[in-house]
Amino acid sequence: MTLHHIKQAADRLAEEFAGVFSQETIERYLGESTDLLGETKINVFVPVLAHRFARERLKALAKTEGIMNVNEPEVLFVCVENAGRSQMAAGLVKLRSQGRIHVRSAGSAPAKEINPAVVEAMRELDVDLGEEFPKPLTDEVVRAADVVITMGCGDACPIFPGKRYEDWEVDDPAGQDLETVRQIRDEIDGRVLTLVGELLDGEQEP
């Protein structure tokens, strides 16, 4: 990531978060996010991904510090690689809540890319994961979440008081064929429908 790219990304974030965070804070988060994504396989896109990752982290930080008002409930899904289960769960929450729930996903040891079979299985439900990428778990996204759902990441997820924590025991789609991934997707979807109904006052999306 060149200095030119860093400056461009920092300028865009500074414009968006004007009056919220200082230029110094924005540049620090952008630098950290770039480092955290440094091993990503699609390194040609690191500048774009680092901007998006830093933006999500800053939004989470703003919520936890009470700087920005957020009305919708927020859910965080955590698995090991953020390449399968947590990505499907996040995509399904967006679909079933019609965007009325803010959702993030992360991994305790992120993979370099999302499982292609997961991308295909989600595409069958018209959920496009093409813009998503495995992201490392950071404290501010945990702090910002109302509900934290772990999916096989063990003790990697930090525990903060006042959060609702759940552990969903769901098979890992890694190395599985498409039909098996579809079954995992459908199991997650059932859990997601229940969660969405609870968070949106019992209203369940079809």
Side-chain angles (χ1 to χ4, degrees):
M1 189 168 183
T2 67
L3 290 175
H4 174 67
H5 287 130
I6 292 173
K7 185 177 186 311
Q8 278 190 326
D11 287 346
R12 290 198 301 273
L13 290 170
E15 184 177 346
E16 179 175 356
F17 291 97
V20 179
F21 293 118
S22 67
Q23 185 81 17
E24 183 182 23
T25 298
I26 288 169
E27 290 179 357
R28 176 165 58 84
Y29 265 73
L30 183 60
E32 287 177 0
S33 299
T34 303
D35 291 342
L36 287 167
L37 295 175
E39 298 301 316
T40 184
K41 182 176 181 180
I42 42 178
N43 54 20
V44 68
F45 295 122
V46 165
V48 175
L49 302 186
H51 172 266
R52 288 170 50 197
F53 185 37
R55 181 175 183 266
E56 279 299 307
R57 293 180 64 204
L58 287 165
K59 287 170 67 177
L61 181 64
K63 178 185 176 182
T64 61
E65 295 189 352
I67 302 171
M68 295 174 65
N69 292 325
V70 179
N71 295 320
E72 68 267 20
E74 188 159 317
V75 179
L76 172 66
F77 290 99
V78 185
C79 67
V80 176
E81 295 190 331
N82 193 216
R85 290 168 289 189
S86 56
Q87 291 281 358
M88 285 197 286
L92 287 164
V93 167
K94 290 177 187 176
L95 175 69
R96 301 307 182 192
S97 72
Q98 296 183 348
R100 288 177 293 164
I101 295 174
H102 192 114
V103 61
R104 293 185 175 95
S105 67
S108 55
K112 293 183 178 180
E113 62 182 350
I114 297 179
N115 182 336
V118 166
V119 175
E120 177 60 30
M122 293 299 290
R123 187 181 293 123
E124 293 173 353
L125 297 183
D126 293 326
V127 176
D128 183 8
L129 296 182
E131 295 293 311
E132 301 298 331
F133 58 98
K135 297 170 290 294
L137 181 65
T138 56
D139 276 0
E140 67 276 344
V141 298
V142 182
R143 290 181 185 275
D146 301 302
V147 182
V148 179
I149 297 176
T150 56
M151 308 174 84
C153 67
D155 298 326
C157 189
I159 304 296
F160 294 111
K163 307 292 177 192
R164 170 181 165 184
Y165 287 89
E166 293 184 16
D167 184 59
W168 290 2
E169 293 186 10
V170 181
D171 289 341
D172 190 345
Q176 304 288 352
D177 59 28
L178 182 57
E179 182 54 40
T180 303
V181 173
R182 288 186 182 117
Q183 293 171 8
I184 296 170
R185 174 201 66 195
D186 292 346
E187 180 182 349
I188 293 172
D189 197 18
R191 293 172 181 257
V192 161
L193 283 167
T194 299
L195 177 68
V196 167
E198 292 170 353
L199 294 179
L200 296 180
D201 297 323
E203 180 184 349
Q204 222 165 265
E205 295 298 324

